[in-house]
Amino acid sequence: MNTRLKVALTALGASAALFAGTVGDDFLLNTRNTTLALRKEGGRWHVLHYGSRVDSQQDINALAWNLWTGGHGHGQRRPASYAVYGEKTLTIGINKYGGLQVTHADGCPTTSLEGMKAETLDDASGATHLVLTMKDRVYPFHVTQHFRALADCDVIETWVELRNGEDGAVRLGRMDSFAMDFPAMSDTLWLQNAGGQWAAEAQLQENAIGRGQTLSFGSRSGVRDAFENNASFMLTAGCRSTETSGQVLGGVLCWSGSWGIGVQRDFCDFVSVRAGVDTSAGAYVLDPGKTIVLPKFAFTWSSAGKGQISRNIHRWARRWQMPAGSKLRPVLLNSWEGSYFSFTEKVLHDMMDGVKEMGGELFVLDDGWFGTGKYARDDVHRDKVGLGDWVINPEKLPNGLVGLNEEARRRGLKFGFWVEPEMVNTNSWLYEAHPDWIVRERRRPVNVGRGGSQTVLDYTNPAVRENIFAQLDALYSKIPGLSYIKWDANADFFNMGSPYLDEAHQANMPFDYTVGLYDLLARIRAKYPDIDIQACSSGGGHADYGFLRYADEFWGSDDSDARERIFIQWGESQFYPACAIAAHVTAVPNHQTGRTTPLKFRFDVAMSARLGFELHPKELSADDLAFAKQCVSDYKRIRPVVQQGDLYRLVSPYGHSYASLMYVDESRDHAVVFLWGMVRGNWSDYPGPLALQGLDASKRYRVREINRRKGGNLHCRVDGKTLGGQALLSMGLPVRLRGDWDSAVFELTAE
Ligand code: GLA
């Protein structure tokens, strides 16, 4: 079948099974609005184009710089589909910036690939799955590059498999999942990423990349992989993009361990983008006959700014990546900030009564329920003991988790609880029995983290994973209808190495650890498909799409201050859909910042993501309780729009004293607009009419302000009116804010 026919069939969304088979030397990998054009020449696969859709192979070939980009001999480069160290992709010289560096069994540090086979695979899901099989021109070292185009969301997933057919081990100094070269098409390049740390996740920054510069960022935590930085980026070519304009490449690396992303722009405007696992602990040793599968990287393109990148990735996440991305997430109360380690059964029952009264659906018991004897995680020992011993502390909870589950169910609530399965305290029965089950160097003293005793279990060791699986399984299987698990991870690799791996493979620990983690998560998910998992890692440290393959959401941040959350959730929303971002209303003064904001403001912020609570409801006044009830009931109505709708960020909190965003459902019948004022004076910027997006111009919408407190101000003078989509889109919604921490939520319903 010829390429053009394949392209046409792909465009129609025809099943890939129709054209499974070998492909020629040209291939157009299309989604609805984008094209990745690949061509094999000189035995190598090259990128001719990635960006807005182009259907004519002839035009692409004619405009493709004859496969060379760059000015003169020294600058000319061939844009490889997978750039490797040592490849002759320069007219004069070899590529020393490739994303793969292999030291072959005989010590040779370069690689030169040749395309052996190219085929599309049967993909029952309707995606187009292109597989490029390559081999080193000299060594029996094999590289298979996969591309899976998902037409409906304009996302292409890619990953690489490496197989060592040599007669000795090879060392992988670099092993990126994505290492693609492009002509820059512009003399300015801007890279946006989300940097972060504990209680300050996903802070956006955008920097220009000059000629000859490389901008790179990553995380070397090993566990809290979304601290330091989030494994995602947006790269703009040309004028700085906005939410609604600009040519933008967006990508996410699906990995929960250490990673790095880099964009190199050389002296002749050739751009190399790399994303992959971090190898700073040493080259990965791949034994003869072994294959390693590198993590998936998902990328998308928009010629209409960053907002579209977010919507594409959100759609991809819900439809293709997350285990149950279309399921509505429950309103829950988590016990942590309401009681920390100090609880009794009575305290928890009271919390259940409170969340039930507010209209919540799920009660989650946080840290502090486990460990026995001298290692009981009680109010005295707190976080110093017990991790690894996943058995109930009978002194604290005589009726156990089973009893709590019954109490929750009696109230019509679902039940879930907290675990930290990747960790162990040196003060635990598990560690006493197995001091060699932790990540550590053989001959150095063990560095410890939280509580002066926390370390990371060695998940490269199958016996460790088996033990943790058996412990969790024993708990889960006894709790009928168990609904939710908060999977926490409050440490980095403070030690590097594995007592399980032999001396030659010590540097493999970080990668093999994450593979082990996924193995355990997959087993749990397979046995308990109906238990929702929250990924948590000291807050948003596990906000990544590797974990979200198994988890349904992540805890946005340990910083629950609503003002801080505007920024954190704004940053997280660049790549993560609202259904995945857990946001809880907590008490004031806020425990992390000491700031006091109105309850309404806290609701208005938390309701823009997956709403929950982390406070003791009995501390709310009768008025507050009544208000909370009303908010929860409204949230349940708007939940499908917030959690499953398209996000439009209207006014950024960066550089403004207020911020606004909105969600629109797929039918464009229902929309919700959030507006949050921060600290504002008479000289502050006042919100102009909010230029709405995403509505259907031909429909008429009734505008209604929700989340209003009794006697509270109206924030929009057209409240209650029905207005045309066309006018709302072009004239905007007239809103106003008064004083600090004033906020509003508007619901728009098509009539
Ligand atoms: C981490 C989490 C919190 C809470 C505590 C419990 O910090 O991010 O939400 O679960 O651990 O120890």
Side-chain angles (χ1 to χ4, degrees):
M1 190 180 296
N2 72 34
T3 310
R4 240 178 264 171
L5 182 54
K6 281 172 204 159
V7 170
L9 285 169
T10 314
L12 293 170
S15 159
L18 271 176
F19 45 81
T22 308
V23 306
D25 287 348
D26 285 313
F27 196 83
L28 301 188
L29 191 62
N30 279 349
T31 65
R32 201 179 289 156
N33 300 298
T34 73
T35 296
L36 173 65
L38 297 159
R39 166 177 257 199
K40 194 165 106 180
E41 206 180 82
R44 286 261 14 217
W45 281 97
H46 298 101
V47 179
L48 271 54
H49 166 71
Y50 177 60
S52 295
R53 182 149 169 172
V54 182
D55 289 313
S56 160
Q57 182 79 59
Q58 210 182 343
D59 291 347
I60 287 174
N61 289 352
L63 294 169
W65 295 62
N66 200 20
L67 283 184
W68 289 96
T69 73
H72 51 75
H74 285 277
Q76 288 181 337
R77 279 128 168 77
R78 281 177 173 247
S81 73
Y82 188 52
V84 302
Y85 185 94
E87 183 77 81
K88 179 95 177 65
T89 49
L90 284 69
T91 320
I92 304 170
I94 58 171
N95 184 351
K96 293 185 186 141
Y97 294 93
L100 174 73
Q101 189 278 323
V102 186
T103 303
H104 296 276
D106 67 358
C108 167
T110 58
T111 295
S112 175
L113 295 178
E114 184 173 17
M116 308 302 288
K117 201 165 60 172
E119 54 193 345
T120 51
L121 287 188
D122 244 352
D123 193 320
S125 64
T128 309
H129 188 160
L130 173 69
V131 185
L132 306 179
T133 309
M134 302 175 251
K135 185 194 148 295
D136 186 276
R137 288 173 201 257
V138 173
Y139 297 93
F141 182 81
H142 306 266
V143 174
T144 309
Q145 190 176 23
H146 295 258
F147 293 100
R148 197 160 165 258
L150 308 170
D152 60 341
C153 51
D154 285 327
V155 167
I156 298 177
E157 300 176 339
T158 182
W159 68 97
V160 170
E161 287 170 41
L162 308 174
R163 183 162 65 83
N164 178 10
E166 301 181 26
D167 52 15
V170 301
R171 306 179 85 82
L172 308 173
R174 297 243 306 257
M175 45 190 216
D176 285 337
S177 298
F178 184 76
M180 207 178 261
D181 301 332
F182 309 92
M185 287 222 316
S186 145
D187 60 0
T188 52
L189 276 183
W190 294 90
L191 184 64
Q192 175 185 284
N193 77 302
Q197 214 6 294
W198 178 78
E201 291 85 344
Q203 305 295 314
L204 293 180
Q205 45 191 346
E206 188 163 41
N207 295 289
I209 310 174
R211 280 211 173 135
Q213 290 185 335
T214 300
L215 238 169
S216 60
F217 58 96
S219 167
R220 290 188 180 176
S221 159
V223 180
R224 291 185 279 215
D225 59 283
F227 282 178
E228 295 178 47
N229 287 291
N230 192 278
S232 57
F233 69 92
M234 292 196 201
L235 179 68
T236 299
C239 294
R240 224 166 152 168
S241 59
T242 68
E243 287 291 333
T244 53
S245 69
Q247 312 269 334
V248 190
L249 167 73
V252 290
L253 183 70
C254 308
W255 188 241
S256 308
S258 297
W259 56 271
I261 288 175
V263 179
Q264 188 219 5
R265 174 184 177 185
D266 72 7
F267 54 90
C268 56
D269 283 340
F270 189 74
V271 179
S272 307
V273 182
R274 301 189 296 99
V277 300
D278 171 66
T279 49
S280 55
Y284 189 94
V285 176
L286 188 65
D287 288 327
K290 294 274 186 222
T291 298
I292 185 172
V293 183
L294 303 178
K296 182 160 73 182
F297 175 75
F299 61 104
T300 185
W301 172 269
S302 158
S303 51
K306 292 176 180 136
Q308 192 59 48
I309 294 283
S310 298
R311 288 187 289 280
N312 291 351
I313 294 287
H314 293 172
R315 190 160 293 167
W316 163 76
R318 290 190 304 253
R319 292 192 184 164
W320 297 92
Q321 182 68 4
M322 293 168 63
S326 58
K327 193 167 135 189
L328 291 182
R329 320 274 327 126
V331 176
L332 61 84
L333 182 137
N334 173 299
S335 67
W336 183 239
E337 283 199 25
S339 67
Y340 294 105
F341 291 104
S342 316
F343 54 80
T344 58
E345 285 185 341
K346 165 87 171 66
V347 168
L348 302 179
H349 297 165
D350 288 350
M351 283 184 164
M352 289 180 193
D353 288 338
V355 66
K356 180 67 192 168
E357 163 91 29
M358 292 190 288
E361 297 152 315
L362 166 69
F363 173 76
V364 181
L365 171 62
D366 209 279
D367 194 355
W369 56 267
F370 53 91
T372 54
K374 65 179 175 177
Y375 296 135
R377 204 152 160 113
D378 52 25
D379 204 17
V380 179
H381 297 104
R382 299 184 154 233
D383 61 5
K384 295 179 183 58
V385 300
L387 294 176
D389 302 335
W390 301 111
V391 287
I392 195 81
N393 172 358
E395 272 151 49
K396 213 162 167 182
L397 297 172
N399 295 295
L401 297 172
V402 175
L404 286 174
N405 183 49
E406 277 164 16
E407 287 292 334
R409 289 166 78 88
R410 219 162 47 73
R411 290 164 172 83
L413 292 169
K414 292 180 172 166
F415 177 69
F417 64 94
W418 179 99
V419 279
E420 200 176 349
E422 297 168 66
M423 304 295 158
V424 65
N425 285 119
T426 51
N427 300 323
S428 68
W429 300 114
L430 184 71
Y431 184 81
E432 270 196 19
H434 300 285
D436 55 339
W437 273 12
I438 62 168
V439 161
R440 61 169 300 183
E441 299 94 338
R442 290 195 181 172
R443 294 160 66 182
R444 295 191 191 282
V446 175
N447 297 310
V448 286
R450 187 180 180 194
S453 58
Q454 181 158 341
T455 65
V456 182
L457 284 169
D458 181 7
Y459 271 11
T460 70
N461 182 346
V464 175
R465 303 199 301 265
E466 186 54 45
N467 176 289
I468 298 299
F469 178 81
Q471 289 200 57
L472 297 181
D473 191 28
L475 285 173
Y476 295 2
S477 57
K478 290 194 190 72
I479 305 175
L482 177 66
S483 170
Y484 183 98
I485 287 301
K486 174 172 172 176
W487 181 298
D488 209 343
N490 294 309
D492 305 322
F493 288 147
F494 302 124
N495 309 280
M496 300 301 293
S498 157
Y500 172 74
L501 299 173
D502 67 18
E503 282 175 15
H505 295 84
Q506 287 299 300
N508 291 9
M509 185 281 289
F511 185 89
D512 290 355
Y513 173 91
T514 304
V515 173
L517 168 66
Y518 291 158
D519 172 65
L520 179 59
L521 281 165
R523 266 182 91 183
I524 290 170
R525 196 89 211 184
K527 182 146 185 204
Y528 298 98
D530 298 327
I531 298 183
D532 292 349
I533 298 179
Q534 180 188 76
C536 176
S537 188
S538 310
H542 263 329
D544 71 78
Y545 277 115
F547 217 104
L548 284 172
R549 186 88 193 127
Y550 308 99
D552 301 275
E553 60 174 36
F554 60 86
W555 177 220
S557 175
D558 271 357
D559 187 343
S560 64
D561 177 303
R563 183 263 173 201
E564 307 277 298
R565 275 303 189 107
I566 291 176
F567 286 86
I568 291 168
Q569 290 167 202
W570 194 268
E572 291 171 341
S573 84
Q574 304 294 310
F575 284 97
Y576 303 94
C579 63
I581 305 173
H584 297 172
V585 172
T586 57
V588 286
N590 178 267
H591 295 188
Q592 294 79 37
T593 62
R595 186 183 281 122
T596 297
T597 53
L599 185 63
K600 171 175 165 51
F601 183 76
R602 285 174 270 150
F603 264 105
D604 286 358
V605 173
M607 280 171 66
S608 69
R610 197 282 283 136
L611 173 69
F613 298 94
E614 228 169 278
L615 43 71
H616 198 320
K618 79 167 189 231
E619 279 154 22
L620 295 174
S621 67
D623 267 5
D624 282 353
L625 205 58
F627 176 65
K629 243 165 129 164
Q630 175 198 321
C631 289
V632 171
S633 133
D634 282 345
Y635 182 75
K636 287 182 182 164
R637 190 179 61 255
I638 63 171
R639 168 162 61 183
V641 189
V642 172
Q643 295 189 2
Q644 295 291 316
D646 274 334
L647 166 70
Y648 296 87
R649 287 178 296 257
L650 305 180
V651 182
S652 168
Y654 290 86
H656 294 101
S657 69
Y658 68 98
S660 177
L661 55 76
M662 69 185 287
Y663 296 97
V664 184
D665 75 349
E666 208 169 353
S667 66
R668 297 201 276 170
D669 280 340
H670 202 175
V672 186
V673 180
F674 293 87
L675 170 68
W676 309 295
M678 295 178 278
V679 174
R680 316 187 61 256
N682 281 340
W683 197 242
S684 293
D685 48 340
Y686 283 87
L690 291 176
L692 303 186
Q693 296 177 45
L695 301 177
D696 183 335
S698 67
K699 290 184 177 162
R700 294 190 69 77
Y701 296 88
R702 193 158 77 88
V703 177
R704 194 160 68 91
E705 181 169 351
I706 60 170
N707 280 15
R708 284 187 62 206
R709 287 210 80 141
K710 233 192 283 155
N713 293 327
L714 266 180
H715 294 82
C716 173
R717 63 184 157 76
V718 295
D719 184 56
K721 294 208 162 49
T722 299
L723 298 154
Q726 191 186 41
L728 287 165
L729 288 166
S730 53
M731 297 174 71
L733 192 67
V735 294
R736 81 171 189 183
L737 293 171
R738 279 185 247 195
D740 297 346
W741 315 123
D742 195 14
S743 57
V745 183
F746 308 101
E747 185 178 358
L748 276 67
T749 320
E751 298 215 315

